[in-house]
Amino acid sequence: MTPETLEILQAARATRRPVALLTRMPDGAQCLHPDEALPPALAEAAEAALLADKAGPVTVGEETWFVQPQTPPPRMIVVGAVHVAQALVPMAAAAGFSVIIVDPRRAFATEERFAADAELVTEWPDEALEALRPDSRTAIVTLTHDPKLDDPALDVALRSGAFYIGALGSRRTHAKRVARLQEAGHGTEAIARINAPVGLDIGAVTAPEIALSIVAQVVAARRGKLLGGKLG
């Protein structure tokens, strides 16, 4: 590996930017996706490896390359240390997500309620999300039902590169939320990124069922299987 390639990889890790390291066999020549121009078929294979988080060989023409995704762990930022969050955190952690609970209400965001499965942040949601800098490996879920907490979080989320945004609440609640976000300057296309009511429609009623539906929808979005809030 050249010093230049190593420097780019280190910078990518520091900023949580996903890249794929491609090594040509058997001569060991290396390149990075998406930093370098690649033949379309090779770039497509590298992008697929990033999406799947899976390393492996790929043959393009007469050349064989080994593709290694260099990706930060996926994150789930949950706004609201509520009952659904208590069920959601262990499920999300088991699915491989680093979970961060954001709630300025310190009586709710406690280690006793969330054990060691989540990082607890007690800043105001917009300040917390600005500091966390949601990226393409980040899912954001708001659960409080309180516009004073959910709306600032969604405002930041809609201006971020988060791959998933979901908000708990009925369709009527979401309609009011949409109106407020429009007043805040967000357009229709941006607001359409919000999955609301949050989670896949599995008829969930209890907190664990709602948590399950959320994790399933987030995973579907991460794996490119979500279309219009439904499995595609």
Side-chain angles (χ1 to χ4, degrees):
M1 182 180 296
T2 66
E4 292 79 8
T5 298
L6 179 59
E7 183 178 353
I8 294 173
L9 282 175
Q10 290 174 333
R13 292 190 187 109
T15 58
R16 288 184 49 87
R17 184 172 66 87
V19 297
L21 176 65
L22 298 94
T23 304
R24 188 169 61 197
M25 301 184 288
D27 66 2
Q30 292 183 315
C31 55
L32 291 170
H33 171 80
D35 298 69
E36 301 176 45
L38 302 175
L42 190 56
E44 183 177 339
E47 195 62 33
L50 286 175
L51 181 63
D53 276 344
K54 186 176 181 181
V58 59
T59 300
V60 176
E62 298 181 355
E63 295 181 339
T64 299
W65 295 78
F66 191 78
V67 184
Q68 295 174 282
Q70 305 287 316
T71 54
R75 297 184 297 180
M76 183 183 292
I77 301 174
V78 179
V79 178
V82 296
H83 290 307
V84 172
Q86 287 183 276
L88 176 60
V89 166
M91 291 186 194
F97 289 87
S98 296
V99 187
I100 302 167
I101 297 288
V102 176
D103 198 321
R105 302 169 298 182
R106 296 175 185 269
F108 290 84
T110 65
E111 292 183 1
E112 290 77 14
R113 298 183 73 208
F114 293 97
D117 289 325
E119 175 186 349
L120 301 178
V121 177
T122 54
E123 304 297 327
W124 200 255
D126 54 344
E127 296 174 356
L129 264 69
E130 291 282 7
L132 290 167
R133 300 174 63 185
D135 53 30
S136 62
R137 303 271 295 174
T138 304
I140 300 170
V141 180
T142 66
L143 299 176
T144 74
H145 279 296
D146 186 344
K148 295 192 302 294
L149 297 176
D150 284 355
D151 286 7
L154 291 170
D155 178 50
V156 177
L158 291 174
R159 292 185 281 105
S160 78
F163 76 86
Y164 175 91
I165 303 171
L168 186 67
S170 66
R171 287 179 173 81
R172 182 177 179 182
T173 296
H174 186 59
K176 295 178 180 178
R177 180 188 294 131
V178 166
R180 293 193 302 270
L181 291 171
Q182 288 174 333
E183 290 180 5
H186 294 285
T188 302
E189 185 175 349
I191 295 173
R193 295 176 61 196
I194 303 173
N195 292 278
V198 70
L200 292 180
D201 185 4
I202 59 172
V205 175
T206 67
E209 290 173 348
I210 294 169
L212 176 63
S213 74
I214 293 170
V215 171
Q217 192 174 52
V218 171
V219 171
R222 184 182 172 212
R223 299 305 185 189
K225 297 296 184 180
L226 196 64
L227 182 63
K230 300 179 180 180
L231 289 178

